[in-house]
Amino acid sequence: MYDLIVIGAGPAGLAAAITAAKNGLKKILIAERDREAGGILNQCIHNGFGLHYFKEELTGPEYASRFIRMLADLNIELMLNAMVLEITPERHVHVINRDVGYKVLEAKSIVLAMGCRERTRGAIAIPGSRPAGVLTAGAAQRYVNMEGYMVGRRVLVLGSGDIGLIMARRLTLEGAEVLACLEIMPYSSGLMRNVVQCLDDYDIPLLLSHTIVEIRGDKRVEEAVVARVDQNLKPIAGTEMTFTCDTILLSVGLIPENELTDKAGIEIDPRTKGAIVRENMETSCHGIFACGNVVHVHDLVDFVTEESEIAGRGAAEFVLNEKSETADEMTLLCGDGVSYVVPQIVRRERVAKTQTVYFRVNRLFDKSRVVIRSGENEIAAFKRPYMAPGEMEHVKIPKALLDKAEGAIVISVEEDVS
Amino acid sequence: MKTVICIVCPKGCHLNIDEEHGYEVSGFGCERGIAYGVEEVRRPMRMITSTVRIDNAALPRCPVKLDKPIDKHLIMAAMKELDQVRLTSPVSEGQIVVENVCGSGASFISTRSL
């Protein structure tokens, strides 16, 4: 019987396991499907990781290795090439691996850290023929940065997610011509610094309110037809232009990878597409926790680490010192301007000093206020100079203010006209 | 007058820098933007991360980075220098791969052990 089984050895799983060990858990296993730990960080060879957490700028592999090195010291067991097929509410983990075969492992607690998956051509239904050369930006990143394959020579990037922007620069550096980056929304979904340093630096145009309306090609992509879209995101007839290209990279969003979570009957939030979590990252299933991109898609790994440490502490506390289940569950709801909040439920007596709440806005905001309400009463407000959907936001609500609330709490954003 | 988008924070202020009048900056939202704007016009510097070939390792490519930023106009020349490199495993994180890249004084170092 394990104290804790963590599913996934990416940044979330590593931080959760390490924190659980530091908080007293002895027998910890991480199950990882890849041949090494580190997850997506291994292919993210660019820098910019760790600015918040380590106060220095690291590349993805460097950020990962800081955590991987700690595993051995803490006696954390790492099972590689291991696919978890099922987890149950009784905390049984069905895992398969070439060395051990099919096994059902039992655990006192589980942390779900499976990360997320890229949306594909099918998810956005681009019309046209189906030639080779259409791939997700993350797949291209792995080919180029780890496996040593160049993916194309004349490239169009659809979507302005961060991986797409990073790959536009990367492919340019490796000698490809990146013709443009197209974004259907009127704003970039990636971080501003990536737009500047990955596109502007290399004179790659960012065409906002544009999308691909047809892909042409027999065996390989030959052309893409691009059109401007209107306010309802519908292509405008007569605005079509044709790009000659051999490759199309898709950077059109990420979805938490929750097959295991679903199958275990754990409640999912349709807004985040991840598990509904409490203040300690516990899911609706007692003793099963979740953290990182499997809960909600983050922009910065630093916040994944921070959140996963909460899950690791939560799991340790659950195993060593289980508190009785309490009825006082306060729900956090999305008000105007907010597309999701995490956590969705807070048990006030478990909050120490402040409760951090992560959220995203659903449109651009200039000078504005993040307002926390309980019924009609405003219990807290936080000023922000600027907010965009592409950047995750957070507020720290003091426990004393939470204690004043009755019933659910609503988080909304208002333009600050003062 | 040059315009740059500030990347110090997510707001992305459009800075105007007047290089003929003592690099006077306008359009900034905070003090940090002034420093960024002046540096970006006077001498834009960039980090480069890339990969090099490696033999006898678990993967055919080893990731590398510069140990300090170089002048922006040297980026493509620096990439050319990397094309000549072929490493053999084992390589350790932090090991120097190319010294004094394009005479800049910066080095490419490996960013993982492989």
Side-chain angles (χ1 to χ4, degrees):
Chain A
M1 171 83 88
Y2 284 96
D3 285 340
L4 168 64
I5 296 179
V6 177
I7 303 169
L14 290 170
I18 288 164
T19 307
K22 286 181 176 168
N23 280 273
L25 293 193
K26 297 273 181 274
K27 211 167 152 31
I28 302 176
L29 170 76
I30 311 180
E32 165 58 45
R33 68 182 168 194
D34 206 346
R35 46 163 285 277
E36 60 182 345
I40 199 73
L41 288 169
N42 289 323
Q43 68 184 59
C44 296
I45 62 160
H46 55 282
N47 66 339
F49 301 90
L51 278 169
H52 294 268
Y53 192 77
F54 291 113
K55 308 291 176 218
E56 60 182 301
E57 209 164 355
L58 303 170
T59 64
E62 291 170 317
Y63 190 95
S65 79
R66 294 209 174 185
F67 293 92
I68 295 168
R69 281 198 294 259
M70 279 188 249
L71 294 182
D73 297 339
L74 292 167
N75 265 323
I76 295 169
E77 195 183 327
L78 178 62
M79 187 193 277
L80 296 170
N81 302 306
M83 191 73 192
V84 173
L85 302 173
E86 189 181 352
I87 58 162
T88 71
E90 298 75 37
R91 298 188 291 276
H92 292 179
V93 175
H94 297 241
V95 63
I96 192 161
N97 151 305
R98 191 175 284 192
D99 305 322
V100 301
Y102 184 97
K103 276 219 164 162
V104 181
L105 306 172
E106 290 177 46
K108 294 178 188 160
S109 65
I110 294 176
V111 170
L112 305 174
M114 296 87 80
C116 60
R117 176 185 291 170
E118 294 179 283
R119 292 176 76 210
T120 59
R121 179 173 180 182
I124 55 168
I126 310 169
S129 53
R130 322 238 13 108
V134 182
L135 59 169
T136 59
Q141 190 177 42
R142 187 173 171 107
Y143 283 136
V144 174
N145 291 345
M146 294 177 71
E147 299 181 13
Y149 297 109
M150 189 60 177
V151 294
R153 288 288 153 201
R154 285 176 64 84
V155 182
L156 204 52
V157 181
L158 176 62
S160 62
D162 287 307
I163 312 172
L165 300 175
I166 296 275
M167 283 310 292
R169 172 176 64 186
R170 183 79 190 105
L171 292 175
T172 306
L173 288 176
E174 290 297 347
E177 192 179 349
V178 180
L179 308 173
C181 175
L182 316 166
E183 170 57 56
I184 195 167
M185 301 303 286
Y187 49 80
S188 162
S189 59
L191 300 172
M192 179 61 79
R193 77 169 196 172
N194 284 337
V195 173
V196 172
Q197 295 209 335
C198 299
L199 299 184
D200 297 357
D201 267 7
Y202 300 92
D203 299 319
I204 300 167
L206 172 61
L207 303 179
L208 297 173
S209 299
H210 278 78
T211 194
I212 294 179
V213 293
E214 189 185 348
I215 292 173
R216 294 177 185 152
D218 180 15
K219 290 203 166 58
R220 180 80 191 190
V221 173
E222 288 160 27
E223 288 181 335
V225 183
V226 171
R228 180 183 283 278
V229 298
D230 64 18
Q231 284 174 333
N232 303 316
L233 310 182
K234 292 269 176 281
I236 304 170
T239 62
E240 295 87 354
M241 47 188 163
T242 303
F243 288 86
T244 305
C245 55
D246 55 35
T247 304
I248 294 169
L249 292 195
L250 304 178
S251 180
V252 292
L254 302 164
I255 309 168
E257 191 164 346
N258 272 303
E259 284 84 353
L260 294 175
T261 322
D262 256 337
K263 207 168 166 190
I266 291 168
E267 276 180 71
I268 301 277
D269 181 345
R271 291 168 177 270
T272 54
K273 300 183 175 62
I276 292 175
V277 289
R278 285 142 189 81
E279 73 298 323
N280 60 353
M281 304 309 291
E282 191 172 15
T283 66
S284 64
C285 199
H286 213 40
I288 302 184
F289 299 76
C291 54
N293 283 348
V294 80
V295 175
H296 59 129
V297 176
H298 296 62
D299 330 306
L300 299 176
V301 71
D302 303 65
F303 294 123
V304 168
T305 301
E306 208 173 272
E307 184 178 287
S308 306
E309 290 178 341
I310 296 171
R313 267 194 298 277
E317 194 162 289
F318 174 80
V319 171
L320 299 174
N321 165 33
E322 195 196 329
K323 291 185 184 171
S324 57
E325 283 198 70
T326 52
D328 177 36
E329 290 203 333
M330 174 188 265
T331 311
L332 308 189
L333 300 172
C334 302
D336 187 46
V338 174
S339 57
Y340 77 71
V341 296
V342 168
Q344 294 89 340
I345 295 171
V346 170
R347 292 166 293 197
R348 278 180 286 192
E349 73 272 21
R350 297 197 186 199
V351 177
K353 283 194 184 116
T354 60
Q355 175 63 44
T356 302
V357 178
Y358 295 100
F359 65 97
R360 277 182 199 273
V361 293
N362 60 16
R363 55 182 188 270
L364 294 175
F365 283 95
D366 264 332
K367 233 176 119 191
S368 53
R369 296 166 74 233
V370 181
V371 184
I372 318 294
R373 279 202 186 79
S374 157
E376 296 293 294
N377 299 329
E378 185 173 312
I379 59 169
F382 304 84
K383 290 194 171 183
R384 289 287 183 277
Y386 177 85
M387 288 188 288
E391 322 238 356
M392 194 173 79
E393 295 283 337
H394 68 274
V395 291
K396 289 182 193 290
I397 309 174
K399 178 175 163 60
L401 296 179
L402 277 182
D403 285 340
K404 283 189 198 167
E406 282 178 43
I409 276 186
V410 180
I411 296 162
S412 52
V413 180
E414 299 170 356
E415 261 92 12
D416 193 356
V417 284
S418 64
Chain B
M1 189 73 88
K2 281 196 174 145
T3 303
V4 298
I5 300 173
C6 183
I7 57 164
V8 175
C9 85
K11 191 173 177 185
C13 292
H14 289 251
L15 308 172
N16 293 304
I17 298 105
D18 191 344
E19 65 269 56
E20 281 159 26
H21 295 92
Y23 296 94
E24 199 187 325
V25 183
S26 57
F28 55 89
C30 72
E31 298 286 319
R32 291 186 301 166
I34 302 177
Y36 174 79
V38 172
E39 164 92 5
E40 185 59 19
V41 171
R42 282 185 127 146
R43 191 178 176 188
M45 304 290 281
R46 292 291 183 271
M47 278 296 292
I48 306 175
T49 60
S50 187
T51 58
V52 293
R53 273 171 279 206
I54 181 166
D55 294 323
N56 302 325
L59 294 164
R61 289 292 181 281
C62 177
V64 298
K65 71 171 184 183
L66 285 171
D67 60 357
K68 57 185 179 196
I70 60 170
D71 285 287
K72 186 178 161 187
H73 67 85
L74 291 177
I75 292 175
M76 282 312 196
M79 285 299 295
K80 273 231 153 61
E81 288 197 7
L82 281 183
D83 289 344
Q84 319 307 321
V85 180
R86 186 161 204 138
L87 302 173
T88 304
S89 180
V91 167
S92 51
E93 184 180 328
Q95 181 177 324
I96 292 176
V97 173
V98 182
E99 260 180 309
N100 193 22
V101 177
C102 301
S104 66
S107 302
F108 273 113
I109 58 171
S110 160
T111 57
R112 73 173 286 179
S113 300
L114 206 62

